[in-house]
Amino acid sequence: MTLDGKPELGIGMVGYAFMGAAHSQGWRNAPGFFDVPLVPRLRALGGRNREAAADVAAKFGWESVETDWRQLIARDDIDLVDVCTPGDTHAEIAIAALEAGKHVLCEKPLANTVAEAEAMAEAAAKAARSGVRAMVGFSYRRVPALALARRLISQGTVGEIRHVRAQYLQDWLTDPEAPLTWRLQKERAGSGALGDIGAHIVDLTQFLTGETITGVSALLETFVRERPLPESASGLTATAGTGRGEVTVDDAAVFLARLSGGALATFEATRFASGRKNALRIEINGSRGSIAFDLEDMNVLHVYDSTEDADRAGYRRVLATEPSHPYVEGWWPPGHILGYEHSFTHQAVDLINAIAEGAQPEPSFADGLRVQRVLAAVEASAANGSAWTEIPQ
């Protein structure tokens, strides 16, 4: 119990790099800005490199470090396991945690294969019958402007959905001499730009529209097929005698899709878009209007109402910083913009509330499985000459 009588939620996190830092910030900020019914306690940070994990633990206030994730899960003071590791370990860690009666937050994409995601969704469904909750970390759902877009679309603002245009554009791999990382090897990452950033726009499309993707026709491309190994090449596969390693995932993915309501959609995910640092863009066109968003201007939503008089018609720029907008009431006065890290606080708050209420948090592992099936269909289509590939519903 905390001093004000609220029960605590013991957090154990496996992984401490980029996503680990973002999640740590989210857990730490949640009770400071939102009235949460359970107070997260940063009990243990898990990582194989004790010294590196200890450095991160000291920065964010984790109480202890574990070098074996199995020992972390076994601890009685851990109520929730947060999985921030590469995709090849998601299934094993998450399923073990659920079977041990721990709530689970797992980074996206849920797994590296559909079979793994199916096993995870099955484990989550079984655990839910005992009150144990599982959620996948598609954090962009918690950007206030995008949560507002979901609200407006569900209220009929754009009418019948006809088109979706979704892009996620980055440029951090444009240099062919940029070193090989685990994200560029299939056995660790599962896929490249497709799973790393394409998974976000697949999930957002289904989240915003309330519809599912039913089929795809796709192209995948790897522009740079070998890269130099970094000074520390632990866990990376090298080409013998070259000091370089093979890139075994896609650098870019482009695909057409159809939604369950009949709308047409186009998707592009690339890490080779020079000058685009983190441009997640989505536009939805309907019978009554349109909504458009760009993460590089993440506090703004552009809304077009086609029923307005033509003399005044045009996209309206909505600054999503009002207390009435999703999540904003916990932060600053209107106009004081939020950033990337805030979505992880919102993610923590939503999960804490769901656990306290005994409700299923969203997105669920079943939602993560739906995204995984789309990713698998894209790969299958690309491998089969862009053939139209249906997605099991």
Side-chain angles (χ1 to χ4, degrees), residues 34 142-148 151 298-301 316-338 346:
F34 293 85
R142 270 89 185 182
V143 171
L146 284 170
L148 176 61
R151 179 196 295 174
M298 69 179 292
N299 288 267
V300 173
L301 186 67
R316 178 179 292 111
R317 181 180 182 273
V318 178
L319 186 62
T321 61
E322 294 295 323
S324 59
H325 292 147
Y327 303 107
V328 179
E329 75 282 354
W331 297 103
W332 317 116
H336 292 69
I337 61 176
L338 302 184
H346 304 156

Side-chain angles (χ1 to χ4, degrees), residues 11-43:
I11 310 297
M13 189 169 73
V14 187
Y16 55 81
F18 172 42
M19 275 298 106
H23 282 227
S24 297
Q25 178 84 340
W27 290 118
R28 189 171 67 171
N29 278 347
F33 290 88
F34 293 85
D35 184 19
V36 291
L38 306 172
V39 177
R41 183 82 174 265
L42 278 58
R43 295 287 190 186

Side-chain angles (χ1 to χ4, degrees), residues 54-99:
D55 286 344
V56 176
K59 289 178 182 178
F60 289 99
W62 291 94
E63 297 173 6
S64 63
V65 169
E66 296 284 355
T67 56
D68 185 336
W69 61 262
R70 295 170 184 84
Q71 293 180 3
L72 183 148
I73 288 174
R75 286 176 47 161
D76 291 337
D77 61 347
I78 301 297
D79 304 305
L80 183 148
V81 176
D82 187 349
V83 184
C84 292
T85 56
D88 61 326
T89 60
H90 284 186
E92 185 180 14
I93 297 172
I95 291 172
L98 290 168
E99 290 178 345

